[in-house]
Amino acid sequence: QVQLVESGGGLVQAGGSLRLSCAASGSIFSINNMGWYRQAPGKQRELVAAITSGGSTNYADSVKGRFTISRDNAKNTVYLQMSSLKPEDTAVYYCTAEIFHQLLSPRRDYWGQGTQVTVSS
């Protein structure tokens, strides 16, 4: 069984920065893609950023140039560095990971519990 533990959320003023972390633990052979989603009140959940095991990245247009996703494979951890934050970035942020438990096993998707990010003017 795998758990994803998120940290780093909080309340910041517009223009500030936060770094979110998400560490996976449990029975893990390897991790493929990792990413961050967010959901604001009244909005659908959207992909914010994703990163492959090889380091290729993908960003939502709304955060491109302001957010950076990275990972530390030795620590099974994915990060989201958020800069120049705007009030519209306010949302619950969820991390996700595609995990192989053993060699040749199928991929399984896991989600963190979510962390609140609030940006005030």
Side-chain angles (χ1 to χ4, degrees), residues 6 20 35-39 45-50 80 91-96 111:
E6 300 157 327
L20 305 183
W36 292 92
Y37 286 74
R38 69 184 181 187
Q39 187 166 23
R45 185 175 297 186
E46 64 173 345
L47 177 67
V48 177
L80 185 67
V92 177
Y93 285 71
Y94 301 87
C95 68
T96 185
W111 291 82

PDB file of all heavy atoms in Angstrom, residues 6 20 35-39 45-50 80 91-96 111:
ATOM      1  N   GLU A   6       1.446  15.283   1.495  1.00  0.00           N
ATOM      2  CA  GLU A   6       1.698  16.614   0.975  1.00  0.00           C
ATOM      3  C   GLU A   6       2.023  17.580   2.103  1.00  0.00           C
ATOM      4  O   GLU A   6       1.538  17.435   3.226  1.00  0.00           O
ATOM      5  CB  GLU A   6       0.479  17.121   0.197  1.00  0.00           C
ATOM      6  CG  GLU A   6       0.106  16.246  -0.984  1.00  0.00           C
ATOM      7  CD  GLU A   6      -1.338  16.409  -1.383  1.00  0.00           C
ATOM      8  OE1 GLU A   6      -2.183  16.642  -0.490  1.00  0.00           O
ATOM      9  OE2 GLU A   6      -1.629  16.302  -2.591  1.00  0.00           O
ATOM     10  N   LEU A  20       5.370  23.431  -2.595  1.00  0.00           N
ATOM     11  CA  LEU A  20       4.658  22.244  -2.165  1.00  0.00           C
ATOM     12  C   LEU A  20       5.539  21.016  -2.345  1.00  0.00           C
ATOM     13  O   LEU A  20       6.288  20.914  -3.318  1.00  0.00           O
ATOM     14  CB  LEU A  20       3.366  22.058  -2.962  1.00  0.00           C
ATOM     15  CG  LEU A  20       2.377  23.227  -2.978  1.00  0.00           C
ATOM     16  CD1 LEU A  20       1.129  22.839  -3.762  1.00  0.00           C
ATOM     17  CD2 LEU A  20       2.025  23.666  -1.569  1.00  0.00           C
ATOM     18  N   GLY A  35       2.562  14.361 -10.646  1.00  0.00           N
ATOM     19  CA  GLY A  35       1.990  15.636 -11.019  1.00  0.00           C
ATOM     20  C   GLY A  35       1.193  16.285  -9.914  1.00  0.00           C
ATOM     21  O   GLY A  35       1.034  15.738  -8.820  1.00  0.00           O
ATOM     22  N   TRP A  36       0.708  17.473 -10.238  1.00  0.00           N
ATOM     23  CA  TRP A  36      -0.116  18.261  -9.336  1.00  0.00           C
ATOM     24  C   TRP A  36      -1.386  18.698 -10.040  1.00  0.00           C
ATOM     25  O   TRP A  36      -1.347  19.173 -11.182  1.00  0.00           O
ATOM     26  CB  TRP A  36       0.635  19.510  -8.853  1.00  0.00           C
ATOM     27  CG  TRP A  36       1.792  19.212  -7.959  1.00  0.00           C
ATOM     28  CD1 TRP A  36       3.089  19.019  -8.319  1.00  0.00           C
ATOM     29  CD2 TRP A  36       1.753  19.085  -6.541  1.00  0.00           C
ATOM     30  NE1 TRP A  36       3.865  18.771  -7.215  1.00  0.00           N
ATOM     31  CE2 TRP A  36       3.070  18.806  -6.107  1.00  0.00           C
ATOM     32  CE3 TRP A  36       0.732  19.170  -5.589  1.00  0.00           C
ATOM     33  CZ2 TRP A  36       3.397  18.620  -4.763  1.00  0.00           C
ATOM     34  CZ3 TRP A  36       1.056  18.983  -4.253  1.00  0.00           C
ATOM     35  CH2 TRP A  36       2.369  18.717  -3.855  1.00  0.00           C
ATOM     36  N   TYR A  37      -2.507  18.521  -9.372  1.00  0.00           N
ATOM     37  CA  TYR A  37      -3.797  19.033  -9.797  1.00  0.00           C
ATOM     38  C   TYR A  37      -4.282  20.049  -8.770  1.00  0.00           C
ATOM     39  O   TYR A  37      -3.791  20.088  -7.640  1.00  0.00           O
ATOM     40  CB  TYR A  37      -4.829  17.915  -9.910  1.00  0.00           C
ATOM     41  CG  TYR A  37      -4.664  17.008 -11.113  1.00  0.00           C
ATOM     42  CD1 TYR A  37      -3.649  16.061 -11.163  1.00  0.00           C
ATOM     43  CD2 TYR A  37      -5.546  17.088 -12.188  1.00  0.00           C
ATOM     44  CE1 TYR A  37      -3.508  15.228 -12.257  1.00  0.00           C
ATOM     45  CE2 TYR A  37      -5.412  16.252 -13.286  1.00  0.00           C
ATOM     46  CZ  TYR A  37      -4.392  15.325 -13.313  1.00  0.00           C
ATOM     47  OH  TYR A  37      -4.254  14.490 -14.397  1.00  0.00           O
ATOM     48  N   ARG A  38      -5.264  20.846  -9.161  1.00  0.00           N
ATOM     49  CA  ARG A  38      -5.885  21.751  -8.209  1.00  0.00           C
ATOM     50  C   ARG A  38      -7.366  21.891  -8.518  1.00  0.00           C
ATOM     51  O   ARG A  38      -7.801  21.689  -9.646  1.00  0.00           O
ATOM     52  CB  ARG A  38      -5.215  23.127  -8.208  1.00  0.00           C
ATOM     53  CG  ARG A  38      -5.447  23.957  -9.465  1.00  0.00           C
ATOM     54  CD  ARG A  38      -4.658  25.257  -9.396  1.00  0.00           C
ATOM     55  NE  ARG A  38      -4.878  26.091 -10.565  1.00  0.00           N
ATOM     56  CZ  ARG A  38      -4.209  27.205 -10.821  1.00  0.00           C
ATOM     57  NH1 ARG A  38      -3.264  27.625  -9.972  1.00  0.00           N
ATOM     58  NH2 ARG A  38      -4.476  27.906 -11.914  1.00  0.00           N
ATOM     59  N   GLN A  39      -8.120  22.235  -7.494  1.00  0.00           N
ATOM     60  CA  GLN A  39      -9.548  22.449  -7.647  1.00  0.00           C
ATOM     61  C   GLN A  39      -9.962  23.655  -6.815  1.00  0.00           C
ATOM     62  O   GLN A  39      -9.807  23.664  -5.595  1.00  0.00           O
ATOM     63  CB  GLN A  39     -10.352  21.221  -7.236  1.00  0.00           C
ATOM     64  CG  GLN A  39     -11.831  21.338  -7.544  1.00  0.00           C
ATOM     65  CD  GLN A  39     -12.546  20.000  -7.452  1.00  0.00           C
ATOM     66  OE1 GLN A  39     -12.083  19.084  -6.787  1.00  0.00           O
ATOM     67  NE2 GLN A  39     -13.668  19.889  -8.129  1.00  0.00           N
ATOM     68  N   ARG A  45     -11.618  20.115 -11.401  1.00  0.00           N
ATOM     69  CA  ARG A  45     -10.231  19.831 -11.112  1.00  0.00           C
ATOM     70  C   ARG A  45      -9.417  19.915 -12.398  1.00  0.00           C
ATOM     71  O   ARG A  45      -9.820  19.397 -13.441  1.00  0.00           O
ATOM     72  CB  ARG A  45     -10.098  18.447 -10.481  1.00  0.00           C
ATOM     73  CG  ARG A  45      -8.688  18.107 -10.036  1.00  0.00           C
ATOM     74  CD  ARG A  45      -8.626  16.772  -9.306  1.00  0.00           C
ATOM     75  NE  ARG A  45      -9.409  16.791  -8.082  1.00  0.00           N
ATOM     76  CZ  ARG A  45      -9.436  15.808  -7.198  1.00  0.00           C
ATOM     77  NH1 ARG A  45      -8.697  14.712  -7.399  1.00  0.00           N
ATOM     78  NH2 ARG A  45     -10.192  15.898  -6.114  1.00  0.00           N
ATOM     79  N   GLU A  46      -8.268  20.568 -12.326  1.00  0.00           N
ATOM     80  CA  GLU A  46      -7.443  20.760 -13.501  1.00  0.00           C
ATOM     81  C   GLU A  46      -6.002  20.362 -13.225  1.00  0.00           C
ATOM     82  O   GLU A  46      -5.509  20.479 -12.106  1.00  0.00           O
ATOM     83  CB  GLU A  46      -7.493  22.221 -13.968  1.00  0.00           C
ATOM     84  CG  GLU A  46      -6.916  23.211 -12.964  1.00  0.00           C
ATOM     85  CD  GLU A  46      -6.826  24.626 -13.503  1.00  0.00           C
ATOM     86  OE1 GLU A  46      -6.940  24.817 -14.727  1.00  0.00           O
ATOM     87  OE2 GLU A  46      -6.643  25.557 -12.687  1.00  0.00           O
ATOM     88  N   LEU A  47      -5.343  19.920 -14.267  1.00  0.00           N
ATOM     89  CA  LEU A  47      -3.928  19.606 -14.175  1.00  0.00           C
ATOM     90  C   LEU A  47      -3.128  20.896 -14.128  1.00  0.00           C
ATOM     91  O   LEU A  47      -3.287  21.763 -14.984  1.00  0.00           O
ATOM     92  CB  LEU A  47      -3.490  18.761 -15.371  1.00  0.00           C
ATOM     93  CG  LEU A  47      -1.995  18.422 -15.440  1.00  0.00           C
ATOM     94  CD1 LEU A  47      -1.605  17.483 -14.298  1.00  0.00           C
ATOM     95  CD2 LEU A  47      -1.646  17.799 -16.787  1.00  0.00           C
ATOM     96  N   VAL A  48      -2.267  21.008 -13.136  1.00  0.00           N
ATOM     97  CA  VAL A  48      -1.401  22.169 -12.994  1.00  0.00           C
ATOM     98  C   VAL A  48      -0.054  21.910 -13.650  1.00  0.00           C
ATOM     99  O   VAL A  48       0.441  22.724 -14.432  1.00  0.00           O
ATOM    100  CB  VAL A  48      -1.204  22.539 -11.513  1.00  0.00           C
ATOM    101  CG1 VAL A  48      -0.238  23.716 -11.373  1.00  0.00           C
ATOM    102  CG2 VAL A  48      -2.544  22.864 -10.869  1.00  0.00           C
ATOM    103  N   ALA A  49       0.557  20.790 -13.307  1.00  0.00           N
ATOM    104  CA  ALA A  49       1.873  20.451 -13.831  1.00  0.00           C
ATOM    105  C   ALA A  49       2.099  18.963 -13.701  1.00  0.00           C
ATOM    106  O   ALA A  49       1.573  18.319 -12.795  1.00  0.00           O
ATOM    107  CB  ALA A  49       2.979  21.220 -13.094  1.00  0.00           C
ATOM    108  N   ALA A  50       2.889  18.408 -14.602  1.00  0.00           N
ATOM    109  CA  ALA A  50       3.228  16.995 -14.569  1.00  0.00           C
ATOM    110  C   ALA A  50       4.676  16.817 -14.979  1.00  0.00           C
ATOM    111  O   ALA A  50       5.232  17.639 -15.721  1.00  0.00           O
ATOM    112  CB  ALA A  50       2.316  16.193 -15.493  1.00  0.00           C
ATOM    113  N   LEU A  80       6.465  21.345  -6.177  1.00  0.00           N
ATOM    114  CA  LEU A  80       5.889  22.389  -7.009  1.00  0.00           C
ATOM    115  C   LEU A  80       6.295  23.733  -6.427  1.00  0.00           C
ATOM    116  O   LEU A  80       5.794  24.132  -5.372  1.00  0.00           O
ATOM    117  CB  LEU A  80       4.363  22.282  -7.080  1.00  0.00           C
ATOM    118  CG  LEU A  80       3.682  23.264  -8.040  1.00  0.00           C
ATOM    119  CD1 LEU A  80       4.053  22.926  -9.490  1.00  0.00           C
ATOM    120  CD2 LEU A  80       2.170  23.241  -7.869  1.00  0.00           C
ATOM    121  N   ALA A  91      -6.754  27.425  -4.302  1.00  0.00           N
ATOM    122  CA  ALA A  91      -7.375  26.136  -4.590  1.00  0.00           C
ATOM    123  C   ALA A  91      -6.833  25.093  -3.626  1.00  0.00           C
ATOM    124  O   ALA A  91      -5.877  25.347  -2.884  1.00  0.00           O
ATOM    125  CB  ALA A  91      -7.093  25.704  -6.033  1.00  0.00           C
ATOM    126  N   VAL A  92      -7.450  23.927  -3.651  1.00  0.00           N
ATOM    127  CA  VAL A  92      -6.878  22.760  -3.004  1.00  0.00           C
ATOM    128  C   VAL A  92      -5.995  22.060  -4.021  1.00  0.00           C
ATOM    129  O   VAL A  92      -6.441  21.762  -5.137  1.00  0.00           O
ATOM    130  CB  VAL A  92      -7.957  21.796  -2.481  1.00  0.00           C
ATOM    131  CG1 VAL A  92      -7.315  20.555  -1.866  1.00  0.00           C
ATOM    132  CG2 VAL A  92      -8.840  22.498  -1.457  1.00  0.00           C
ATOM    133  N   TYR A  93      -4.765  21.814  -3.658  1.00  0.00           N
ATOM    134  CA  TYR A  93      -3.796  21.199  -4.553  1.00  0.00           C
ATOM    135  C   TYR A  93      -3.594  19.735  -4.173  1.00  0.00           C
ATOM    136  O   TYR A  93      -3.392  19.399  -3.004  1.00  0.00           O
ATOM    137  CB  TYR A  93      -2.462  21.946  -4.496  1.00  0.00           C
ATOM    138  CG  TYR A  93      -2.482  23.263  -5.227  1.00  0.00           C
ATOM    139  CD1 TYR A  93      -3.200  24.344  -4.724  1.00  0.00           C
ATOM    140  CD2 TYR A  93      -1.798  23.434  -6.427  1.00  0.00           C
ATOM    141  CE1 TYR A  93      -3.244  25.552  -5.398  1.00  0.00           C
ATOM    142  CE2 TYR A  93      -1.831  24.636  -7.105  1.00  0.00           C
ATOM    143  CZ  TYR A  93      -2.559  25.700  -6.586  1.00  0.00           C
ATOM    144  OH  TYR A  93      -2.583  26.901  -7.267  1.00  0.00           O
ATOM    145  N   TYR A  94      -3.632  18.866  -5.180  1.00  0.00           N
ATOM    146  CA  TYR A  94      -3.490  17.434  -4.989  1.00  0.00           C
ATOM    147  C   TYR A  94      -2.295  16.921  -5.780  1.00  0.00           C
ATOM    148  O   TYR A  94      -2.131  17.264  -6.953  1.00  0.00           O
ATOM    149  CB  TYR A  94      -4.730  16.679  -5.475  1.00  0.00           C
ATOM    150  CG  TYR A  94      -6.019  17.067  -4.801  1.00  0.00           C
ATOM    151  CD1 TYR A  94      -6.789  18.122  -5.279  1.00  0.00           C
ATOM    152  CD2 TYR A  94      -6.475  16.371  -3.683  1.00  0.00           C
ATOM    153  CE1 TYR A  94      -7.980  18.475  -4.669  1.00  0.00           C
ATOM    154  CE2 TYR A  94      -7.661  16.719  -3.068  1.00  0.00           C
ATOM    155  CZ  TYR A  94      -8.414  17.771  -3.565  1.00  0.00           C
ATOM    156  OH  TYR A  94      -9.592  18.113  -2.964  1.00  0.00           O
ATOM    157  N   CYS A  95      -1.487  16.092  -5.159  1.00  0.00           N
ATOM    158  CA  CYS A  95      -0.426  15.433  -5.908  1.00  0.00           C
ATOM    159  C   CYS A  95      -0.878  14.046  -6.322  1.00  0.00           C
ATOM    160  O   CYS A  95      -1.766  13.448  -5.707  1.00  0.00           O
ATOM    161  CB  CYS A  95       0.881  15.363  -5.104  1.00  0.00           C
ATOM    162  SG  CYS A  95       0.831  14.280  -3.666  1.00  0.00           S
ATOM    163  N   THR A  96      -0.271  13.536  -7.374  1.00  0.00           N
ATOM    164  CA  THR A  96      -0.608  12.217  -7.877  1.00  0.00           C
ATOM    165  C   THR A  96       0.653  11.535  -8.394  1.00  0.00           C
ATOM    166  O   THR A  96       1.609  12.198  -8.793  1.00  0.00           O
ATOM    167  CB  THR A  96      -1.674  12.301  -8.988  1.00  0.00           C
ATOM    168  OG1 THR A  96      -2.075  10.994  -9.388  1.00  0.00           O
ATOM    169  CG2 THR A  96      -1.131  13.049 -10.203  1.00  0.00           C
ATOM    170  N   TRP A 111      -3.269   9.201  -5.048  1.00  0.00           N
ATOM    171  CA  TRP A 111      -3.542  10.618  -4.840  1.00  0.00           C
ATOM    172  C   TRP A 111      -3.271  11.006  -3.399  1.00  0.00           C
ATOM    173  O   TRP A 111      -3.532  10.236  -2.472  1.00  0.00           O
ATOM    174  CB  TRP A 111      -5.002  10.939  -5.171  1.00  0.00           C
ATOM    175  CG  TRP A 111      -5.326  10.848  -6.621  1.00  0.00           C
ATOM    176  CD1 TRP A 111      -5.620   9.722  -7.326  1.00  0.00           C
ATOM    177  CD2 TRP A 111      -5.396  11.926  -7.549  1.00  0.00           C
ATOM    178  NE1 TRP A 111      -5.865  10.032  -8.632  1.00  0.00           N
ATOM    179  CE2 TRP A 111      -5.740  11.380  -8.805  1.00  0.00           C
ATOM    180  CE3 TRP A 111      -5.211  13.300  -7.452  1.00  0.00           C
ATOM    181  CZ2 TRP A 111      -5.896  12.154  -9.941  1.00  0.00           C
ATOM    182  CZ3 TRP A 111      -5.365  14.076  -8.585  1.00  0.00           C
ATOM    183  CH2 TRP A 111      -5.706  13.501  -9.809  1.00  0.00           C
TER     184      TRP A 111
END
